[in-house]
Structures are given as C-alpha cells and as structure tokens.
C-alpha cells in the first residue's frame, strides 16, 4: 500500500501542477496507476468487489479533485469501476448459476459478457447485483422486492460463509480478471489512434479539402492514414491561437508529404466555403454530445454550419465523459496565463494598480477550451466507429455504470 | 515499478539540469531560499509572523517560491530561517514539502544573523553547496523556466571562470506618470552590454529629483556598446556559482545582496568577476518587497499571470477553489447572502460568511471570515478568521488574522491592522496608519545600518527591542508610551503606530492604497518641470536604449543638467552652512561636509567657493539690520568668522574671480541690498586676504570689454581698483 501511495502522490502532483498534457497521456497514466492500485489492494474474503471499488474510488476522488478540468481522469476512473462491477457480475453469475440455477449454463454467462443479455441472464444479474452492492436508484425503482431483500443477504452473508474455499479462488480470479480488463483498456487507449485512423478512407475522398484547427494527434494519424491509402487531398490548418499548435501540425503534415495550407483562426470563415469537411480533435465529449475542444472550435463549428460543411469530431473512447455539461464555458474550462497573449513587459504600464482606483482597466482572459453544442456536430468518430451526437448517451451507457457518475466514497462505506 | 519510475524521473531531472559532460554539471541543482528579507517594511505584521508565511492570495508566500523551485527542477533547497525561525520550520514540517519525491527541503536556522550576507557566509561555513545554485528569497513569485538561464550560465562559466552570477531581469515599463507605482521600489538603472548581456552598472537608488545618473567614464571607454535601461525590473532570482559564497566570506562587509555584493563586484576590477543578466519575456517573476508590491503581485496572481500558481490550481495543498466568471475565485462552503454583491477579481476563502447588501470588489478574503451586512470592502486583503460587523467600510487595507471590527468602523486607505486587533464601534482609523497589539519600537531610522541592526527583532522579544533602543544613546528620541495609546474607539484593543519621521512622505509610496490623486498630480507636475529631461530619458534610455559611446547626450541637455545640478548643490551647501552657524559646528567639519557634497555632485572647488560665499552673504542679509552700514558690519563679521572656510576653497585665482562674479550676480539679482555696498565689501574681502589684488584686477580687466550695464560694479569700485593698480605698480 505505501508503494502505491507514493505512485498516487506522484501522479497527483503532476496533475495538480498541470505537468501532463493531452488527454490520451493522462488517460493512459490514470489507467496504469489504477491497475497498480488494484493489484496492490488486499482483498477480503467477503465483498471483494466492494473493497476494490472502494480503493479505486478513494484514489479516483483525489485524482479528479487534483485537476477537475482534465475530464479523462474521471472517465478512466469510472471505466475501471465499471470494469470491476462487470467482472464481479459475471463471476457471480457463474457462481450462482453453478450453484443455484443449474439451468443457466456457461454460454449464458458468455452471452452476458457480450452484452446480449437474455432474459434469464438479466434476472440472474439483478439477483447478483443485489447481493453484492447497495441498490442503485434504478433497481430501487424497478424492482422493489429484490432490493428489499438486500439488507438480509448482505448483513447475514449466510450463503457466502459456507463456501470460503470457493470464495478465495474466486477473489483471486476477480482481481486477475479485473487487471486483465484494465490491461485491455490501456491497450484500447494506446491504440485508439490507429482504430480511428482505420476509418479514414471511408470519410476522406479524393481531391477533398479538409479543415482542421490546432493540433491533435488523432487528426494527424487520421489524415495520414488516408494519405497512405493513396487518397490525394488538401488540408487547411487554422493555427489555433494563442498556443499556435496548428503550426506544429502543419509541420508534421508537410513532413509526411501532405499538401497543407496554414491560415489564421480569423480566416476560417473566409476559407470555409472551399472546404469539404472539417475534421477536428476534442478534449472531451460530454454525455449530451457536446464537445469540449481547444478554444476557437466553436467559431469553426458555426462557420461549418453556416456553409453546411460536415463537422466531424475524432475522439478516442477515453474522451467520452458520462457527465452532462453545466455551464461548460466556465466550469469545464481552464483559464491559462495571459502571458500567452501578450508580453508582460510591454503591457506592464497597463497593469498599473498603483494609480487610479486600484483596479486595472486591462483584463486578459485566456480560456483553453471552447464548448461546441451537439447540434453543431455532424459526426463523432470513435474507436468503435462513427456515431451521431444523439447516440452518445447510449455509448456512454455501455462504458459506464450509472452508480459511478459521482465518484465519491460514501461516508458509510466499508460494510 | 515505482523504483523504475523514480529513476526515470531522476534521470529526466538530471538531463534537464545539463547535458554537458562536465562533472560539476552532474550535480543536482541546489537552491538557497532566504526565509527572511532582513528589512522592516512589513512591520508591524512581521513582529508576530515571519514575512514568508504571510498569506498571498490565501497561500503563504513561501509556497509560491518552493512550488516554483520544485517545478524548475531544483533538487535540494536550503531554507535559511532567521526571524521567527521556529514558525517557519514548524510550518514546513507540517506542510507537504518535506515529503516530496525528488525534492528535498532542509532548513538552516540561525538567530544572530542580520543580513543576507551573513546568511550566505554561514551557509558557506556549513559546506552544503557543491555546485551552481539558485539564490532566491522566500517572497518571490515566479513561473519562469530555469532551463535556458541555467544553460547560458553554465556555458558562460565554461568559457570564462569569472562569470559567477546570472541575474534574472524582466522588462517592466515605467508608467508615464510615476515610475514606481507598480512595485513601489526605487527606480532601477542598469547598464548592460547588449551583446554579451554582461551587467556593467546597477543603481537602484537613482535620485528622482535629479533625473541623472553618473556612469564611470571607463565604462564607455572600455565597452564598444552599452545599453542603459530604466525599464528593467530585477526579479531577485540569481543563478550563482559556488564562488559567490566564498566571495561573501572574503568580503565580510558585504551585507546586502544588491547594494553591496553586486555593486562591489561591478566596481572591483582586480578580481574581474562578472555578472550577467538573463531577461525573461513571457514568464512572470516578481518579489514582494513592500505593501505596494504585495498588492500588485496579489492582483497579478488573480489575473493569472503566475499560472499555474493561481488559486484554482492546487499547487501546494491549498483549498479547492473554483474560478467563476469575471475572475471570481470561490472556495467551498461559502455562505453568501443573496443580496451581497461580490465583484470581479475577488477571492473568497473557505467557510467565509457574507451578510446581506455587502459589497466586495478587487479583494482577497481569507478562510473562516464573518462579514456582516452593509459592509463595503474594496481592494483590501483580509486574512483568516476576521470578524467584520455590520456597516464597516474598508478601502485598500490589509487586515490580519483574528481582527475584529465592531459595527460601523471605517478603515481609510493604506491602513494595516496586525493580528487580533479590535477596532471599536464607529471608530475611523486614519489613512496609512498601522495598528498592532504590540507597541511601536522606538527606533525609527530608515538608515540602512539600523535596519540591519534591528531586523533581528523578529526573534528577539519585543520588550528587549525597546531595551536596546533605550540603551542606545540619547540621539534617538524615546517617545513616551502614552503617545501610542489613542483608544481605538470603545472596546478597541491595539496601538496605532506613529508614522516615523519623514515617513509621511514615504507612506503613500509603499502602501496598498493606490497613489492618491494629489500625489499623482504632484508627480506629473514634477515630470513636466523637467520635461526635457524626461524626453531625453525616454529617447536615450527606453526606446532604442543603445548608446554608442557618449555621443548621444545632446549639448543643450547637458547644460540643463549641470545648471539643475548646481542649483541643488548650492541649496545643499547653504543648508549645511546655516546648520553649521546655528549649531556652532567647527569649521573643519563644515569643510568636510562641503567637500563630500562637492564629490557627490561632482563640482569643482570654484563652485564650492561660489556656493559658500553665496550662503555667507545670504546669512548676512538675513541677519536683522536697520541700515546699510549695519549690513556692512554684519557682513564683515560673518566674513571674519568664516574666512577659514572660504579660504580652503580659494586655491587659485580662478576661484577668487568666481567669488567676485558670484557677488556681482547676487547684487544684481537676489540680494539687491548689497549693490550700493559692493565696493566696500570688496574692500573687506581684500582686507581679510580672501581676495588677492590679482584677482580683482583680472576681474576688472575682463569686464573692460563688457556692456555698459555689466560695468556698473566695476564703475562703483573704480577708485578701489585704481588704488590697487597704483599699489602694485609701486611694488614693481
């Protein structure tokens, strides 16, 4: 445990001091950290899943608080929690299936894993859920008798006591399965660029003009994949003031042999009529299909809408956030230093608080992100394929458990 | 895996320090953090808490410095604690700084250290610094990256072993009205070699009134080009080679880092040590030196110039704070009445309660404060657990922890309330006053030596300060303690500190309040007065800044300068002389004083003679007299008494002529009463051997060709001159 604590503190520090840039790196490191947390966590005989969930939540809460703007951290924490629940569910299904409901065979279990839950499996799942964790709002509303039975089972724990030997093997299996699944998740995060890029040829056609803003590794790979498939097209890159990451993107594109035109952000509206498709990266995708993206993106999206140009957002599944944006321009934004906009030395005479009323007349606001509302987005391309903004909630339901939306340990946790 | 990660991080840190194969460069970067400013500018607050622990936007200052050092890749920090060392060490021990990976904080404690120089000497003795180190004081806020500056420093060091220090500077434009409104510090002039970035000249006490600085001629002779800056700000972040510490040890009289050490190195051409500068552009760095810079830096932090060291980023265990629209930072669990108005650029700390109809703008409110209703808070800094009752008004003030303001109390701009002071109901605290539970120590002297001497007061108990003050001789007026005890209204607790002598002038400069209107107009008028000077400054210094040799100074301006100077010089001499007369100072001492004035104003002895004579005549005319003959008598007396003084400047005949010319000028302009007596006084001067006949004759000859109007006095003394001529002829 102390070992993980060091790792956690180290990562917390990095998050707090904004030393990790980019949601992919953050997501991968979060997943790796949580993996080691899980592997270090000692699991009790009863309620192993609960212990793991508690451990992950404890760390996750700190991580999310360290940098609330980096949504990828929270996403990964929730994904891992979901993985634990799923794995636990499938194990319980197997166990209960083996002991009580002999009619339910192993293939049912497999089916459950695949997501095509049959009627009987769903019933089993509901039963298993009730034995292993506190009831969610959903179960409370849907199925009162089952949830009413919960306190009995969990408090007495009668049925689990008799099978200690079975349990210990099960707990080892649970931990093992969870770590396996987290490894898969890490793999997914690492390869998300390739997965998305694979779909490039379906979207980019011959002689098209593509516009993008700022720099995104996903976009770069996407464009390059199309180029590799012998598509010839041109790219307009808006520079992405004030950090000018578009310059870097243009450099990389040119290095890979793509015909590139660099424009200022303010020229986007002038150029949009010549563009066939806007392809951009995102910082995060919210549950309603809205996008948190580098500043200036809303302008591009509005320009695209005006000229009926498709606005395509590329996002790895780690960027899907199960939260709904509330006041996103402020609360999900990071205001960076004004020195990116102007030189302090040159303007220091405007920052003169010593005279006049004591408050400066010049304010500099440098937000890092824009919020693009879902109605402006034509298509999301994730590693699982293309989706409509209105479909995001469904995708999110696949990845996250409704119980984890608020990552906070209950005060009474630890039953 | 943890070990692996750590190793990787360590390797990365090492790589960041330097890639060159130099063994020295393999050293992890060290830093010396002086947790004591060795000044008294933050009194009375610093009597109870060390300056580095004062909250800056609700986070103790030292955290900004440590967070920056950590981010800049420093591996080991030695925190030097002196005043209130226990508090600093306790704070650090309970903070997270002792448990950081790859970043060690060690404290060095000493109580009898009175200056930065002594501190560095002590650290040298401890032999803990092995390579290049960063020297910084615990009140510096920065977010710059050290990598480049460090790289430059190391490269220079490799080429030239004498390049011992790199000073970080930053451009900071002086505002058109006042040059010191931003940080409240004195104007700083630097001469920098534009090619090598070597610092050639450093002057932070340039005389505002004079508007001139003096550069050594050799500087211009030796360097092909020099750029002079008045728009640079010293960030007080230095990258030093280990030699710096030994230099301090060798020169045991170095106390102040800038005034002694930097200037000492610049003047000392025997050892040939060099100081270089590194200018930062986009990043931020500033030092909190006084209340005004406290105000300015706080506002810069709120405006996010110091990103990522801003309130909503948890860089050092500060409370979670959310940034809302218009720069409002709010921590959690704030109780705010619906009708309270919280304006832009305001920080509100955890658990603070704000009553109805209160208005708060441009302020920082600490944790756990209770603010009543109808309170007005503007541009103020309110620390933790302060209770402000209904109807109080606070404008541009600093209120420390635990203060209680009873209903209706008013704080005028610039007020500082130290810890746990209680202000009574409806009491109005006058502007710029400082209120503390402790009495004011009786030593007020802005003199630097004294500042050093009594800065250790932080550690010494309060009463003992007073003890030492009383012991020290009667020159210091020990004020009776009754003087400090104006009641702070009913139920008020605390002493209002009296403003030290001559301090009235200074108070507004260094206070948190903006500079008042009248001072601003005064300043701008002063600027208009020497408009030419200013424009000269602007064109020569701030714009292109590059002076090629000394060709740039235009003729007309030179005259302007010197005329200006001589007027000041004359005034100074007169003041000195009058004081000497009043206090019966010995002639020798007066000569000494006048000589030192002469040196500091760079005047010739002829100027001195003129000035001394002028002041003597002024004195004569001021002495009450009824008739011309009485005036003549007075003059004769004064001349007799002070002839020794005058004679010491009359080395050559030129000076004597200068006196006559001066006298003539006086008779024409300022002291017309003398004009009928011109010839007689000339005679007296001759009698007293002050003027030789040669001088008088030469003067007469010179005047021969002049206008009629100029010849008035030659005419008047024609007989005398005639007589002198004859006498000399006879001698021949």
């Amino acid at each position: 445990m102390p070992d993980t604590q060091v790792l956690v503190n180290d990562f917390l520090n990095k998050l707090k001091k904004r030393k990790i840039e980019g949601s992919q790196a953050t997501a991968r490191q979060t997943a790796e950290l949580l993996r080691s947390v899980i592997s270090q966590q000692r699991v009790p005989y009863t309620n192993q899943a609960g212990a793991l969930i508690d451990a992950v939540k404890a760390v996750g809460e700190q991580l999310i608080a360290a940098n609330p703007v980096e949504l990828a951290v929270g996403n990964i924490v929730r994904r891992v929690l979901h993985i634990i629940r799923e794995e636990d569910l499938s194990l319980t299904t197997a166990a209960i299936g083996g002991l009580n409901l002999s009619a339910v065979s192993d293939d049912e279990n497999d089916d459950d894993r695949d997501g095509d839950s049959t009627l009987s499996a769903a019933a089993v799942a509901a039963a298993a859920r009730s034995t292993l964790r506190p009831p969610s709002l959903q179960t409370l509303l849907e199925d009162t008798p089952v949830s009413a039975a919960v306190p009995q089972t969990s408090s007495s724990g009668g049925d689990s006591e008799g099978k200690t030997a079975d349990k210990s093997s099960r707990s080892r299996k649970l931990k093992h399965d969870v770590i396996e699944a987290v490894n898969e998740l890490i793999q997914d995060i690492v390869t998300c660029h390739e997965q998305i890029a694979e779909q490039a040829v379906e979207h980019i056609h011959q002689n098209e003009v593509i516009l993008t803003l700022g720099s995104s590794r996903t976009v770069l790979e996407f464009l390059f994949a199309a180029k590799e498939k012998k598509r010839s097209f041109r790219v307009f890159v808006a520079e992405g003031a004030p950090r000018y990451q578009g310059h870097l993107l243009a450099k990389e594109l040119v290095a890979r042999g793509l015909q590139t035109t660099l424009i200022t952000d303010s020229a986007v509206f002038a150029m949009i009529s010549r563009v066939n498709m806007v392809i951009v990266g995102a910082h995060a995708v919210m549950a309603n299909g809205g996008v948190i993206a580098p500043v200036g993106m809303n302008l591009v999206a509005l320009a695209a809408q005006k000229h009926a140009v498709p606005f395509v957002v590329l996002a790895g599944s780690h960027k899907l956030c199960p939260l709904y944006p509330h006041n996103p321009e402020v609360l999900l934004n990071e205001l960076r230093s004004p020195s990116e906009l102007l030189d302090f030395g040159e303007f220091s005479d405007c920052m003169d608080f010593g005279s006049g009323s004591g408050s400066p007349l010049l304010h500099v606001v440098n937000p890092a992100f824009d919020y693009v509302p879902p109605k402006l987005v034509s298509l999301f391309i994730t590693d699982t394929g293309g989706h409509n903004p209105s479909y995001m909630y469904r995708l999110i339901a696949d990845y996250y458990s409704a119980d984890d939306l608020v990552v906070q340990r209950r005060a009474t946790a630890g039953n | 895996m943890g070990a692996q990660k750590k190793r990787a991080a360590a390797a990365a840190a090492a790589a960041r320090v330097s890639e060159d194969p130099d063994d020295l460069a393999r050293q992890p970067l060290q830093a010396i953090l002086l947790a004591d400013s060795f000044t008294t500018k933050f009194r009375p607050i610093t009597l109870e808490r060390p300056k580095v622990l004062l909250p800056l936007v609700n986070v103790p200052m030292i955290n900004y410095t440590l967070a920056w050092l950590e981010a800049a890749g420093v591996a080991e920090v030695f925190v030097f604690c002196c005043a209130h060392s226990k508090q600093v060490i306790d704070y650090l021990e309970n903070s997270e700084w002792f448990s950081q990976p790859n970043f060690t904080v060690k404290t060095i404690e000493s109580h009898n250290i009175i200056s930065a120089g002594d501190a560095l000497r002590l650290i040298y003795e401890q032999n803990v610094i092995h390579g290049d180190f960063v020297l910084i004081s615990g009140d510096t806020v920065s977010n710059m990256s050290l990598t480049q500056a460090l790289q430059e420093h190391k490269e220079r060091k490799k080429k030239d072993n004498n390049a011992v220090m790199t000073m970080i500077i930053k451009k900071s434009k002086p505002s058109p009205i006042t040059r010191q409104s931003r940080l409240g510090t004195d104007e700083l002039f630097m001469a920098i070699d534009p090619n090598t970035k070597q610092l050639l000249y450093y002057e932070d006490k340039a005389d505002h009134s004079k508007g001139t600085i003096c550069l050594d001629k050799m500087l211009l002779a030796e360097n092909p080009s020099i750029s002079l800056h008045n728009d640079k700000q010293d960030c007080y972040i230095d990258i030093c080679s280990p030699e710096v510490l030994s230099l301090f040890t060798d020169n045991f009289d170095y106390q102040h880092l800038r005034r002694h050490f930097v200037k000492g190195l610049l003047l000392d051409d025997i050892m040939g040590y060099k100081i270089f500068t590194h200018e930062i552009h986009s990043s931020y760095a500033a030092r909190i030196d006084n209340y005004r810079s406290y105000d300015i830096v706080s506002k810069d932090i709120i405006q996010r110039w110091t990103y990522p060291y801003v309130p909503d980023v948890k860089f050092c265990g500060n409370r979670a704070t959310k940034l809302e629209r218009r720069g409002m930072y709010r921590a959690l669990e704030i109780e705010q009445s619906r009708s309270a108005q919280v304006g832009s650029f305001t920080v509100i700390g955890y658990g603070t309660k704000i009553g109805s109809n209160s208005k708060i703008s441009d302020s920082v409110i600490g944790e756990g404060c209770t603010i009543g209703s109808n309170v007005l808070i503007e541009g103020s800094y309110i620390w933790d657990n302060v209770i402000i009752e209904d109807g109080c008004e606070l404008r541009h003030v600093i209120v420390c922890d635990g203060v209680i303001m009873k209903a209706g109390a008013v704080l005028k701009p610039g007020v500082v309330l130290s810890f746990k002071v209680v202000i009574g109901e409806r009491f109005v605290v006058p502007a710029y006053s400082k209120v503390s539970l402790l009495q004011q120590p009786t030593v007020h002297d802005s003199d630097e030596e004294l500042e050093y001497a009594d800065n250790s007061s932080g550690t010494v108990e309060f009463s003992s300060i007073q003890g030492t003050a009383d012991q020290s001789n009667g020159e210091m007026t020990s004020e009776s303690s009754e003087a400090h005890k104006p009641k702070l209204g009913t139920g008020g607790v605390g002493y209002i500190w009296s403003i030290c002598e001559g301090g009235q002038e200074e108070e507004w400069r260094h206070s948190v309040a903006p500079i008042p209107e009248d001072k601003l107009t005064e300043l701008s008028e002063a600027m208009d007065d020497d408009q030419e000077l200013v424009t000269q400054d602007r064109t020569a210094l701030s714009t292109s800044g590059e002076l090629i040799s000394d060709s740039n100074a235009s003729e007309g301006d030179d005259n302007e300068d010197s005329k200006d100077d001589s007027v000041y010089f004359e005034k100074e001499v007169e003041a000195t002389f009058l004081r000497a007369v009043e206090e019966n100072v010995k002639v020798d001492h007066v000569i000494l004083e006048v000589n030192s004035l002469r040196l500091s104003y760079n005047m010739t002895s002829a100027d001195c003679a003129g000035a001394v004579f002028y002041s003597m005549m002024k004195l004569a005319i001021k002495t009450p007299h009824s008739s011309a003959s009485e005036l003549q008598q007075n003059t004769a007396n004064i001349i007799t008494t002070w002839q020794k003084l005058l004679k010491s400047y009359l080395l050559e005949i030129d000076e004597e002529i200068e006196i006559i010319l001066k006298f003539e000028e006086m008779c024409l302009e300022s002291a017309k009463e003398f004009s009928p007596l011109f010839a007689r006084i000339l005679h007296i001067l001759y009698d007293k051997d002050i003027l030789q006949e040669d001088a008088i004759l030469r003067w007469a000859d010179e005047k021969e060709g002049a206008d009629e109007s100029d010849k008035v006095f030659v005419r008047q003394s024609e007989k005398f001159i005639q007589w002198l001529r004859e006498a000399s002829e006879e001698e021949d």
Side-chain angles (χ1 to χ4, degrees), chain B residues 63-79:
Chain B
N63 283 335
Y64 288 93
T65 320
L66 284 173
W68 171 70
L69 285 173
E70 203 233 320
V74 173
E76 195 174 20
V77 178
F78 294 96
V79 178

Side-chain angles (χ1 to χ4, degrees), chain A residues 19-88:
Chain A
K19 275 183 187 163
I20 308 174
E21 286 236 345
S23 42
Q24 200 210 3
T26 322
R28 195 176 42 108
Q29 292 189 37
T30 313
E32 281 169 358
L33 179 77
L34 290 177
R35 184 178 60 186
S36 60
V37 167
I38 291 168
S39 65
Q40 301 277 331
Q41 178 67 33
R42 296 177 70 197
V43 193
Y45 286 121
T46 55
N47 196 11
Q48 309 94 353
L52 284 184
I53 286 172
D54 269 350
V56 170
K57 273 191 175 175
V59 173
E61 206 181 332
Q62 296 176 49
L63 293 181
I64 291 168
N67 186 353
V69 178
E70 186 50 272
L71 294 165
V73 177
N75 297 345
I76 295 303
V77 171
R78 292 183 186 103
R79 285 281 286 275
V80 170
L81 288 172
H82 183 63
I83 285 171
I84 298 172
R85 287 178 204 281
E86 288 283 294
E87 293 298 333
D88 184 46

Side-chain angles (χ1 to χ4, degrees), chain B residues 36-43 46 51 287 289 451 455:
Chain B
D36 194 335
S37 59
F38 304 108
T39 55
T40 54
K41 294 215 174 99
F42 271 86
R43 283 195 172 181
T46 46
K51 181 175 162 193
R287 181 175 169 211
D289 192 43
E451 206 165 90
N455 68 49

Side-chain angles (χ1 to χ4, degrees), chain B residues 163-188:
Chain B
V164 289
M165 185 163 132
T166 302
M167 193 191 264
I168 310 292
I169 56 170
K170 180 161 180 53
K171 186 170 179 181
S172 176
K173 273 193 176 176
S175 103
I177 315 164
T178 150
R179 302 188 192 171
Q180 53 100 49
S181 59
R182 243 194 83 79
L183 289 173
T185 45
D186 291 305
E187 196 174 7
L188 175 66

Side-chain angles (χ1 to χ4, degrees), chain A residues 13 16-18 330 334-335 337-339 342-346 348 351-354 356-360 363, chain B residues 70 100 170-173 175 181-182 281-282 296 299 303-305 307 313-314 323 345 362 396 514-515:
Chain A
N13 256 328
K16 279 180 189 166
K17 288 171 187 153
R18 311 292 197 255
V330 181
E334 174 96 345
L335 288 181
S337 168
S339 61
L342 40 83
D343 184 63
F344 185 80
E346 283 299 322
S348 54
M351 308 289 163
D352 198 340
F353 313 107
S357 70
S359 67
H363 296 163
Chain B
E70 203 233 320
Q100 297 282 320
K170 180 161 180 53
K171 186 170 179 181
S172 176
K173 273 193 176 176
S175 103
S181 59
R182 243 194 83 79
H281 293 279
S282 61
I296 300 291
K299 281 179 177 150
Q303 299 242 5
R304 306 181 78 76
W305 286 99
Y307 183 92
V313 175
K314 292 207 258 177
L323 173 61
F345 295 101
D362 296 306
H396 305 288
I515 298 174

Side-chain angles (χ1 to χ4, degrees), chain A residues 325-341:
Chain A
H326 160 66
N327 202 2
E329 290 89 346
V330 181
L331 293 183
L332 293 175
N333 217 335
E334 174 96 345
L335 288 181
R336 301 177 62 89
S337 168
S339 61
E340 285 174 356
L341 269 71

Side-chain angles (χ1 to χ4, degrees), chain B residues 435-696:
Chain B
V435 185
S436 169
L437 284 189
L438 300 176
Q439 278 184 30
Q440 188 169 20
T442 42
V443 186
H444 321 293
D445 204 325
S446 53
D447 211 2
E448 199 181 316
E449 275 72 30
L450 275 168
E451 206 165 90
Y452 284 129
D454 69 357
N455 68 49
S456 53
S457 61
T459 57
V460 189
E461 272 311 296
F462 180 76
S463 53
S464 69
I465 301 171
Q466 206 153 25
T468 51
D470 289 338
Q471 279 161 27
S472 56
N473 59 23
E475 259 192 32
M476 293 154 198
T477 50
S478 60
E479 286 156 274
S480 62
S481 50
E482 271 81 73
H484 306 301
K485 276 188 188 167
K487 283 268 186 253
L488 292 163
T490 40
V493 181
Y495 300 99
I496 296 186
W497 284 29
S498 61
I499 292 158
C500 39
E501 97 265 353
Q504 191 73 58
E505 186 53 33
E506 291 302 303
E507 283 305 322
W508 60 267
R509 281 185 200 279
H510 297 317
S511 104
V512 278
I515 298 174
E517 277 307 313
D518 53 324
K519 294 286 179 198
L520 273 183
T521 44
E522 220 172 84
L523 276 171
S524 56
E525 271 165 17
M527 283 294 154
D528 288 343
D529 280 351
D530 40 30
Q531 186 105 58
E532 281 95 321
L533 271 178
V534 175
T535 45
Q536 162 73 7
D537 272 4
R538 283 292 134 86
T539 50
L541 303 184
S542 55
T543 51
S544 73
E546 201 152 312
L547 290 172
I548 305 300
S549 197
D550 54 355
S551 60
N552 215 326
S554 64
E555 278 303 301
D557 219 79
D558 254 2
N559 289 341
E560 188 87 358
D561 278 8
S562 56
K563 194 178 164 194
D564 221 35
D565 247 12
S566 61
V567 169
Y568 282 112
F569 172 68
E570 241 166 44
K571 277 188 186 155
E572 291 270 0
V573 170
E574 196 187 334
T576 315
F577 180 74
L578 287 177
R579 195 167 48 78
V581 172
E582 272 168 31
E583 295 173 12
N584 276 329
V585 180
K586 276 193 192 152
V587 177
D588 289 343
H589 293 184
V590 182
I591 292 174
L592 263 180
E593 279 187 43
V594 174
N595 271 344
S596 68
L597 278 175
R598 179 173 78 105
L599 288 177
S600 67
Y601 282 85
N602 199 15
M603 291 291 172
T604 61
S605 56
D607 293 319
C608 286
V612 170
F613 181 73
Y614 174 79
S615 10
M616 284 162 70
M617 295 322 255
K618 261 288 196 43
L619 177 67
I621 212 163
K622 272 184 196 157
T623 346
H625 53 80
S626 51
S627 65
S629 59
E630 210 173 312
L631 177 64
Q632 187 189 344
Q633 191 54 44
N634 285 343
T635 319
N637 285 343
I638 289 166
I639 290 173
T640 330
T641 334
W642 296 99
Q643 55 178 314
K644 194 178 167 207
L645 171 66
L646 199 51
K647 270 184 194 160
S648 65
Y649 295 102
L650 300 177
L651 307 172
E652 280 179 51
I653 205 153
D654 288 344
E655 279 115 42
E656 292 172 24
I657 294 172
E658 170 75 24
I659 285 194
I660 304 176
L661 291 173
K662 190 88 203 174
F663 188 33
E664 206 180 4
E665 192 187 305
M666 279 183 78
C667 292
L668 278 174
E669 288 166 9
S670 52
K672 293 215 168 102
E673 277 185 79
F674 276 122
S675 45
L677 299 172
F678 184 84
R680 285 186 222 171
I681 291 173
L682 202 62
H683 196 156
I684 294 171
L685 289 171
Y686 175 75
D687 277 351
K688 298 285 176 200
D689 274 348
I690 288 167
L691 298 181
Q692 293 169 25
E693 54 187 53
D694 276 3
I696 299 172

